[in-house]
Amino acid sequence: MSDMLRTGAAAGAAIAVMCAFGVTPAGAAPPRTLAGTGFRVAERLGVTSVSPSRTYTVTFASARLKKRYTPYLTGAVTQMRAAGVRIVLGGVERVDPARCPPWGHIQYTQTYRPLGRGGYSKGLPCPHPAKGVASGGVVTMDSEYFDGTWHMAPHELRNTFVHEMLHTLGLDHPNLDLDGDGEAGRYECATGPDGVKPVMCSPNGGYADAAGAGRLTPFEERALRAMLANARGAGAD
Ligand SMILES: [Zn+2]
């Protein structure tokens, strides 16, 4: 999450400045849920909600990637639909990792070390979408997972695919300062009754067992429901 997609960044900066004055006009939008136990919405990127009525489509930069990646995403997409997100797995289209895709497209591509660090992938929402409603984004998976140069446990790879996809819909890392050292550190996240950390916890959140790996935890299911409610509350579609 170290850089921003180009499209919309300039307009977003202007909006952020205006909001910094804290002007609250009469008839302001109702309160929105931007964080809760185990989740945080990427308000810093201007995303506050998920559309309850428009369809998000996952696409891939090549037929080869579509075939490779689709099995990693099907379980999570089914859960997201159950939570109320209209999302489908789609086809192949050209992906420029530096540009925002058409509305609602969640594009997957693959490069070598997209964050410049071994083993890290990148998922970003298009920043500052209209009305704060997530409009899609780009996921760039690290090619090292697939060429044998970076060892990653199978459950970690499955969870990474889902973690990055949820970034494009505006979910941020929910890391906390649990040890009181003044920093929300690595692995410092809320833990569910089953011992699982949010799949959005950085790094390596999510279920470790084969049945759970690649699935949303209850934290993300609650987060998506909150973001859908944010859109409805604001009258956004
Ligand atoms: Zn992340």
Side-chain angles (χ1 to χ4, degrees), residues 48-75:
T48 55
S49 60
V50 168
S51 175
S53 58
R54 300 179 73 179
T55 298
Y56 297 94
T57 304
V58 181
T59 65
F60 307 89
S62 71
R64 182 176 59 91
L65 290 185
K66 174 181 160 71
K67 186 176 179 203
R68 175 185 289 170
Y69 288 1
T70 295
Y72 288 99
L73 300 171
T74 48

mmCIF file of all heavy atoms in Angstrom, residues 48-75:
data_model
loop_
_atom_site.group_PDB
_atom_site.id
_atom_site.type_symbol
_atom_site.label_atom_id
_atom_site.label_comp_id
_atom_site.label_asym_id
_atom_site.label_seq_id
_atom_site.Cartn_x
_atom_site.Cartn_y
_atom_site.Cartn_z
ATOM 1 N N THR A 48 -15.031 4.511 1.379
ATOM 2 C CA THR A 48 -15.790 4.344 2.614
ATOM 3 C C THR A 48 -16.897 3.303 2.511
ATOM 4 O O THR A 48 -17.479 2.905 3.512
ATOM 5 C CB THR A 48 -16.451 5.677 3.025
ATOM 6 O OG1 THR A 48 -17.241 6.156 1.933
ATOM 7 C CG2 THR A 48 -15.396 6.726 3.376
ATOM 8 N N SER A 49 -17.195 2.865 1.280
ATOM 9 C CA SER A 49 -18.336 1.970 1.140
ATOM 10 C C SER A 49 -18.174 1.066 -0.075
ATOM 11 O O SER A 49 -17.275 1.255 -0.901
ATOM 12 C CB SER A 49 -19.627 2.783 1.020
ATOM 13 O OG SER A 49 -19.569 3.630 -0.117
ATOM 14 N N VAL A 50 -19.053 0.090 -0.152
ATOM 15 C CA VAL A 50 -19.102 -0.839 -1.280
ATOM 16 C C VAL A 50 -20.505 -0.766 -1.873
ATOM 17 O O VAL A 50 -21.498 -0.727 -1.129
ATOM 18 C CB VAL A 50 -18.784 -2.277 -0.813
ATOM 19 C CG1 VAL A 50 -19.113 -3.299 -1.891
ATOM 20 C CG2 VAL A 50 -17.318 -2.388 -0.392
ATOM 21 N N SER A 51 -20.581 -0.738 -3.173
ATOM 22 C CA SER A 51 -21.889 -0.609 -3.814
ATOM 23 C C SER A 51 -22.758 -1.838 -3.577
ATOM 24 O O SER A 51 -22.327 -2.960 -3.815
ATOM 25 C CB SER A 51 -21.722 -0.419 -5.329
ATOM 26 O OG SER A 51 -23.009 -0.410 -5.936
ATOM 27 N N PRO A 52 -23.992 -1.613 -3.107
ATOM 28 C CA PRO A 52 -24.898 -2.752 -2.929
ATOM 29 C C PRO A 52 -25.649 -3.114 -4.208
ATOM 30 O O PRO A 52 -26.374 -4.108 -4.235
ATOM 31 C CB PRO A 52 -25.879 -2.239 -1.862
ATOM 32 C CG PRO A 52 -25.897 -0.757 -2.067
ATOM 33 C CD PRO A 52 -24.550 -0.362 -2.624
ATOM 34 N N SER A 53 -25.507 -2.320 -5.253
ATOM 35 C CA SER A 53 -26.347 -2.541 -6.438
ATOM 36 C C SER A 53 -25.560 -2.755 -7.723
ATOM 37 O O SER A 53 -26.058 -3.378 -8.647
ATOM 38 C CB SER A 53 -27.294 -1.347 -6.627
ATOM 39 O OG SER A 53 -26.531 -0.159 -6.758
ATOM 40 N N ARG A 54 -24.347 -2.239 -7.800
ATOM 41 C CA ARG A 54 -23.563 -2.399 -9.015
ATOM 42 C C ARG A 54 -22.664 -3.630 -8.907
ATOM 43 O O ARG A 54 -22.355 -4.082 -7.817
ATOM 44 C CB ARG A 54 -22.731 -1.139 -9.281
ATOM 45 C CG ARG A 54 -23.603 0.098 -9.443
ATOM 46 C CD ARG A 54 -22.792 1.346 -9.677
ATOM 47 N NE ARG A 54 -22.211 1.396 -11.014
ATOM 48 C CZ ARG A 54 -21.469 2.414 -11.461
ATOM 49 N NH1 ARG A 54 -21.202 3.432 -10.660
ATOM 50 N NH2 ARG A 54 -20.993 2.404 -12.684
ATOM 51 N N THR A 55 -22.253 -4.145 -10.056
ATOM 52 C CA THR A 55 -21.510 -5.406 -10.074
ATOM 53 C C THR A 55 -20.011 -5.168 -10.226
ATOM 54 O O THR A 55 -19.581 -4.405 -11.100
ATOM 55 C CB THR A 55 -22.010 -6.302 -11.224
ATOM 56 O OG1 THR A 55 -23.383 -6.601 -10.995
ATOM 57 C CG2 THR A 55 -21.210 -7.603 -11.295
ATOM 58 N N TYR A 56 -19.254 -5.827 -9.370
ATOM 59 C CA TYR A 56 -17.795 -5.844 -9.475
ATOM 60 C C TYR A 56 -17.380 -7.093 -10.263
ATOM 61 O O TYR A 56 -17.928 -8.168 -10.059
ATOM 62 C CB TYR A 56 -17.155 -5.857 -8.087
ATOM 63 C CG TYR A 56 -17.457 -4.617 -7.275
ATOM 64 C CD1 TYR A 56 -18.528 -4.578 -6.381
ATOM 65 C CD2 TYR A 56 -16.683 -3.477 -7.408
ATOM 66 C CE1 TYR A 56 -18.817 -3.440 -5.640
ATOM 67 C CE2 TYR A 56 -16.955 -2.325 -6.676
ATOM 68 C CZ TYR A 56 -18.026 -2.315 -5.791
ATOM 69 O OH TYR A 56 -18.306 -1.176 -5.063
ATOM 70 N N THR A 57 -16.429 -6.905 -11.173
ATOM 71 C CA THR A 57 -15.986 -8.007 -12.024
ATOM 72 C C THR A 57 -14.482 -8.190 -11.881
ATOM 73 O O THR A 57 -13.709 -7.250 -12.107
ATOM 74 C CB THR A 57 -16.316 -7.714 -13.495
ATOM 75 O OG1 THR A 57 -17.721 -7.448 -13.615
ATOM 76 C CG2 THR A 57 -15.959 -8.900 -14.380
ATOM 77 N N VAL A 58 -14.088 -9.408 -11.525
ATOM 78 C CA VAL A 58 -12.660 -9.721 -11.414
ATOM 79 C C VAL A 58 -12.155 -10.135 -12.796
ATOM 80 O O VAL A 58 -12.746 -11.012 -13.441
ATOM 81 C CB VAL A 58 -12.422 -10.862 -10.406
ATOM 82 C CG1 VAL A 58 -10.922 -11.154 -10.273
ATOM 83 C CG2 VAL A 58 -13.019 -10.513 -9.045
ATOM 84 N N THR A 59 -11.085 -9.490 -13.256
ATOM 85 C CA THR A 59 -10.523 -9.825 -14.568
ATOM 86 C C THR A 59 -9.020 -10.104 -14.418
ATOM 87 O O THR A 59 -8.418 -9.805 -13.384
ATOM 88 C CB THR A 59 -10.744 -8.700 -15.588
ATOM 89 O OG1 THR A 59 -10.009 -7.534 -15.187
ATOM 90 C CG2 THR A 59 -12.221 -8.356 -15.729
ATOM 91 N N PHE A 60 -8.449 -10.621 -15.483
ATOM 92 C CA PHE A 60 -7.068 -11.110 -15.436
ATOM 93 C C PHE A 60 -6.306 -10.616 -16.662
ATOM 94 O O PHE A 60 -6.873 -10.460 -17.745
ATOM 95 C CB PHE A 60 -7.069 -12.635 -15.381
ATOM 96 C CG PHE A 60 -7.926 -13.180 -14.271
ATOM 97 C CD1 PHE A 60 -9.285 -13.446 -14.484
ATOM 98 C CD2 PHE A 60 -7.404 -13.365 -12.999
ATOM 99 C CE1 PHE A 60 -10.094 -13.914 -13.462
ATOM 100 C CE2 PHE A 60 -8.210 -13.828 -11.967
ATOM 101 C CZ PHE A 60 -9.552 -14.103 -12.196
ATOM 102 N N ALA A 61 -4.997 -10.430 -16.464
ATOM 103 C CA ALA A 61 -4.183 -9.848 -17.531
ATOM 104 C C ALA A 61 -3.905 -10.819 -18.670
ATOM 105 O O ALA A 61 -3.458 -10.396 -19.740
ATOM 106 C CB ALA A 61 -2.868 -9.338 -16.952
ATOM 107 N N SER A 62 -4.163 -12.100 -18.456
ATOM 108 C CA SER A 62 -3.944 -13.084 -19.522
ATOM 109 C C SER A 62 -4.763 -14.330 -19.226
ATOM 110 O O SER A 62 -5.203 -14.537 -18.085
ATOM 111 C CB SER A 62 -2.459 -13.460 -19.623
ATOM 112 O OG SER A 62 -2.078 -14.239 -18.504
ATOM 113 N N ALA A 63 -4.939 -15.145 -20.249
ATOM 114 C CA ALA A 63 -5.659 -16.407 -20.061
ATOM 115 C C ALA A 63 -4.897 -17.323 -19.108
ATOM 116 O O ALA A 63 -5.493 -18.065 -18.324
ATOM 117 C CB ALA A 63 -5.865 -17.083 -21.416
ATOM 118 N N ARG A 64 -3.585 -17.237 -19.167
ATOM 119 C CA ARG A 64 -2.761 -18.067 -18.287
ATOM 120 C C ARG A 64 -2.987 -17.688 -16.822
ATOM 121 O O ARG A 64 -3.148 -18.541 -15.952
ATOM 122 C CB ARG A 64 -1.288 -17.870 -18.670
ATOM 123 C CG ARG A 64 -0.298 -18.695 -17.879
ATOM 124 C CD ARG A 64 1.117 -18.486 -18.436
ATOM 125 N NE ARG A 64 1.510 -17.089 -18.382
ATOM 126 C CZ ARG A 64 2.153 -16.526 -17.350
ATOM 127 N NH1 ARG A 64 2.483 -17.261 -16.314
ATOM 128 N NH2 ARG A 64 2.478 -15.246 -17.362
ATOM 129 N N LEU A 65 -3.032 -16.391 -16.549
ATOM 130 C CA LEU A 65 -3.258 -15.950 -15.175
ATOM 131 C C LEU A 65 -4.686 -16.249 -14.738
ATOM 132 O O LEU A 65 -4.917 -16.603 -13.580
ATOM 133 C CB LEU A 65 -2.965 -14.456 -15.029
ATOM 134 C CG LEU A 65 -1.498 -14.045 -15.142
ATOM 135 C CD1 LEU A 65 -1.342 -12.554 -14.853
ATOM 136 C CD2 LEU A 65 -0.597 -14.856 -14.228
ATOM 137 N N LYS A 66 -5.627 -16.102 -15.638
ATOM 138 C CA LYS A 66 -7.029 -16.410 -15.283
ATOM 139 C C LYS A 66 -7.145 -17.864 -14.824
ATOM 140 O O LYS A 66 -7.773 -18.157 -13.810
ATOM 141 C CB LYS A 66 -7.943 -16.153 -16.481
ATOM 142 C CG LYS A 66 -9.391 -16.583 -16.273
ATOM 143 C CD LYS A 66 -10.216 -16.300 -17.524
ATOM 144 C CE LYS A 66 -11.488 -17.112 -17.597
ATOM 145 N NZ LYS A 66 -12.513 -16.741 -16.648
ATOM 146 N N LYS A 67 -6.506 -18.735 -15.569
ATOM 147 C CA LYS A 67 -6.573 -20.164 -15.225
ATOM 148 C C LYS A 67 -5.864 -20.435 -13.894
ATOM 149 O O LYS A 67 -6.343 -21.203 -13.071
ATOM 150 C CB LYS A 67 -5.934 -20.974 -16.354
ATOM 151 C CG LYS A 67 -6.070 -22.471 -16.180
ATOM 152 C CD LYS A 67 -5.500 -23.220 -17.379
ATOM 153 C CE LYS A 67 -5.644 -24.724 -17.155
ATOM 154 N NZ LYS A 67 -4.691 -25.494 -17.932
ATOM 155 N N ARG A 68 -4.742 -19.804 -13.706
ATOM 156 C CA ARG A 68 -3.956 -20.031 -12.486
ATOM 157 C C ARG A 68 -4.643 -19.436 -11.258
ATOM 158 O O ARG A 68 -4.643 -20.020 -10.182
ATOM 159 C CB ARG A 68 -2.575 -19.387 -12.656
ATOM 160 C CG ARG A 68 -1.711 -19.456 -11.402
ATOM 161 C CD ARG A 68 -0.410 -18.686 -11.592
ATOM 162 N NE ARG A 68 0.494 -19.368 -12.504
ATOM 163 C CZ ARG A 68 1.616 -18.817 -12.993
ATOM 164 N NH1 ARG A 68 1.940 -17.583 -12.653
ATOM 165 N NH2 ARG A 68 2.399 -19.488 -13.809
ATOM 166 N N TYR A 69 -5.217 -18.255 -11.407
ATOM 167 C CA TYR A 69 -5.703 -17.499 -10.243
ATOM 168 C C TYR A 69 -7.148 -17.842 -9.838
ATOM 169 O O TYR A 69 -7.483 -17.741 -8.657
ATOM 170 C CB TYR A 69 -5.654 -15.998 -10.538
ATOM 171 C CG TYR A 69 -4.277 -15.376 -10.580
ATOM 172 C CD1 TYR A 69 -3.108 -16.120 -10.383
ATOM 173 C CD2 TYR A 69 -4.141 -14.004 -10.817
ATOM 174 C CE1 TYR A 69 -1.861 -15.516 -10.431
ATOM 175 C CE2 TYR A 69 -2.894 -13.397 -10.850
ATOM 176 C CZ TYR A 69 -1.756 -14.154 -10.665
ATOM 177 O OH TYR A 69 -0.531 -13.546 -10.700
ATOM 178 N N THR A 70 -7.973 -18.172 -10.810
ATOM 179 C CA THR A 70 -9.398 -18.363 -10.508
ATOM 180 C C THR A 70 -9.651 -19.315 -9.340
ATOM 181 O O THR A 70 -10.470 -19.019 -8.464
ATOM 182 C CB THR A 70 -10.158 -18.818 -11.775
ATOM 183 O OG1 THR A 70 -10.106 -17.752 -12.728
ATOM 184 C CG2 THR A 70 -11.605 -19.137 -11.465
ATOM 185 N N PRO A 71 -8.951 -20.456 -9.280
ATOM 186 C CA PRO A 71 -9.232 -21.359 -8.145
ATOM 187 C C PRO A 71 -8.946 -20.737 -6.775
ATOM 188 O O PRO A 71 -9.538 -21.144 -5.779
ATOM 189 C CB PRO A 71 -8.291 -22.546 -8.410
ATOM 190 C CG PRO A 71 -7.991 -22.500 -9.867
ATOM 191 C CD PRO A 71 -7.987 -21.035 -10.225
ATOM 192 N N TYR A 72 -8.083 -19.754 -6.739
ATOM 193 C CA TYR A 72 -7.761 -19.104 -5.465
ATOM 194 C C TYR A 72 -8.857 -18.146 -5.019
ATOM 195 O O TYR A 72 -8.870 -17.706 -3.866
ATOM 196 C CB TYR A 72 -6.457 -18.314 -5.592
ATOM 197 C CG TYR A 72 -5.213 -19.172 -5.694
ATOM 198 C CD1 TYR A 72 -4.621 -19.438 -6.926
ATOM 199 C CD2 TYR A 72 -4.631 -19.720 -4.554
ATOM 200 C CE1 TYR A 72 -3.477 -20.213 -7.018
ATOM 201 C CE2 TYR A 72 -3.494 -20.501 -4.638
ATOM 202 C CZ TYR A 72 -2.918 -20.740 -5.874
ATOM 203 O OH TYR A 72 -1.785 -21.506 -5.961
ATOM 204 N N LEU A 73 -9.728 -17.776 -5.933
ATOM 205 C CA LEU A 73 -10.677 -16.698 -5.646
ATOM 206 C C LEU A 73 -12.121 -17.165 -5.505
ATOM 207 O O LEU A 73 -12.946 -16.439 -4.952
ATOM 208 C CB LEU A 73 -10.603 -15.647 -6.767
ATOM 209 C CG LEU A 73 -9.226 -14.990 -6.935
ATOM 210 C CD1 LEU A 73 -9.191 -14.142 -8.209
ATOM 211 C CD2 LEU A 73 -8.893 -14.135 -5.717
ATOM 212 N N THR A 74 -12.419 -18.352 -5.988
ATOM 213 C CA THR A 74 -13.831 -18.759 -6.071
ATOM 214 C C THR A 74 -14.502 -18.825 -4.694
ATOM 215 O O THR A 74 -15.637 -18.369 -4.526
ATOM 216 C CB THR A 74 -13.988 -20.110 -6.776
ATOM 217 O OG1 THR A 74 -13.053 -21.029 -6.218
ATOM 218 C CG2 THR A 74 -13.722 -19.983 -8.260
ATOM 219 N N GLY A 75 -13.808 -19.377 -3.704
ATOM 220 C CA GLY A 75 -14.423 -19.511 -2.382
ATOM 221 C C GLY A 75 -14.722 -18.161 -1.764
ATOM 222 O O GLY A 75 -15.809 -17.935 -1.221
#
